[in-house]
Amino acid sequence: MDFPQYKSEINNNGFAVIDAVYSQDEIDQIAEIIDRTDSDSATFRKSKDLFAIRQFLKEVPNVTEVLFNQKLKNVINSVFGEDYFPIKSIYFDKPGNSNWFVAYHQDLTISVNQKAEIENYGPWTVKQNQFAVQPPVEVLENIFTIRIHLDDTDENNGALKVVPKSHLKKIYRPETIDWNKETEVSCNVPKGGIMIMKPLLLHSSARTVNNINRRVIHIEFSSLQLPTQLQWAEKLTVN
């Protein structure tokens, strides 16, 4: 793996795609563990267009060993840094007939253990008993997101579309995008590959048109400690 190249792509463009992080056997193991999980928890969201598991690593702890294989650990340590740890995780299963789509946005909130009055932290929201808050932009700039793809994903089944370099513009409102100046890229990822992105990168996801499922595990990483009143809601130590 060309770690310096991936790091450069992420710093300059806001994203990178790395193929073959997982074997077919590892993908099958991950899928089997997910399929065996009791889906009645409040953190599970089920509809005809989407199946999602919030706090994924907490809800499906048995997946951790196979998910954090040596290749992924090498990526985290070499591209992010050895002091980075998971802070948020979600599993998405977008069915092949899904009409679900997400408009252009940045990921502007973090998940924390409680609500507290702290300067420059806000606004606050609560989803399924999970507190989320928009932190100072410096906190967001420290975060890396890894999207692990359990299916081949392209523009026909909801691959992320991104605006390269938009992560360098701090808070960038989607309604202000000037398409005469900006470009759009489809981040196609083969099964077993990963996409790394910065949360401030403008990204969207279109409807599925080819009847092929898209299963993705989304994990966010940080190396920061939050103000003393707050803790990361899903902080996990991965050896």
Side-chain angles (χ1 to χ4, degrees), residues 13-239:
N13 296 319
F15 69 99
V17 173
I18 305 177
D19 296 347
V21 174
Y22 296 92
S23 67
Q24 181 62 55
D25 182 59
E26 287 171 323
I27 293 170
D28 291 343
Q29 289 182 57
I30 293 167
E32 182 181 355
I33 293 168
I34 294 170
D35 289 343
R36 291 202 310 261
T37 302
D38 181 1
S39 62
D40 290 332
S41 170
T43 58
F44 287 53
R45 172 183 171 187
K46 291 175 283 186
S47 73
K48 66 181 180 64
D49 288 325
L50 178 69
F51 172 57
I53 307 173
R54 292 186 176 275
Q55 302 181 45
F56 174 69
L57 295 176
K58 282 187 175 182
E59 292 288 351
V60 193
N62 293 342
V63 82
T64 304
E65 184 175 353
V66 61
L67 199 65
F68 288 89
N69 66 9
Q70 194 57 54
K71 285 186 177 181
L72 190 70
K73 289 179 181 178
N74 290 343
V75 170
I76 295 166
N77 293 335
S78 300
V79 178
F80 307 169
E82 295 185 358
D83 52 349
Y84 271 77
F85 48 85
I87 57 168
K88 183 176 181 178
S89 57
I90 309 172
Y91 169 75
F92 297 103
D93 182 353
K94 189 175 183 179
N97 59 353
S98 174
N99 284 319
W100 180 67
F101 74 99
V102 180
Y104 267 106
H105 66 286
Q106 296 173 301
D107 292 337
L108 296 178
T109 64
I110 57 173
S111 296
V112 294
N113 63 322
Q114 64 181 2
K115 184 176 181 179
E117 295 300 323
I118 303 174
E119 186 176 3
N120 297 323
Y121 278 73
W124 289 80
T125 58
V126 180
K127 286 184 179 180
Q128 297 169 320
N129 299 318
Q130 177 71 76
F131 293 97
V133 63
Q134 183 171 329
V137 72
E138 293 78 17
V139 175
L140 297 171
E141 289 175 332
N142 172 262
I143 294 172
F144 292 88
T145 297
I146 292 180
R147 294 171 58 87
I148 299 164
H149 286 252
L150 306 184
D151 299 293
D152 291 324
T153 306
D154 59 26
E155 59 275 2
N156 295 310
N157 66 332
L160 284 193
K161 295 179 181 179
V162 304
V163 178
K165 303 185 184 298
S166 54
H167 69 301
L168 301 173
K169 299 182 180 181
K170 308 291 184 180
I171 305 300
Y172 189 169
R173 300 299 178 190
E175 62 270 17
T176 68
I177 298 174
D178 184 350
W179 290 111
N180 292 315
K181 297 179 180 178
E182 303 287 14
T183 57
E184 179 181 74
V185 173
S186 178
C187 296
N188 299 350
V189 185
K191 179 192 295 187
I194 66 173
M195 175 192 174
I196 302 173
M197 60 177 282
K198 300 296 288 179
L200 292 176
L201 183 74
L202 279 166
H203 56 286
S204 69
S205 176
R207 294 179 174 87
T208 298
V209 297
N210 64 359
N211 291 317
I212 296 177
N213 282 38
R214 189 200 73 180
R215 295 170 297 168
V216 175
I217 298 169
H218 168 118
I219 308 176
E220 298 176 15
F221 297 79
S222 176
S223 64
L224 297 181
Q225 300 302 317
L226 295 174
T228 53
Q229 304 97 312
L230 297 178
Q231 296 178 13
W232 298 107
E234 299 179 54
K235 182 177 179 180
L236 179 70
T237 299
V238 179
N239 296 324

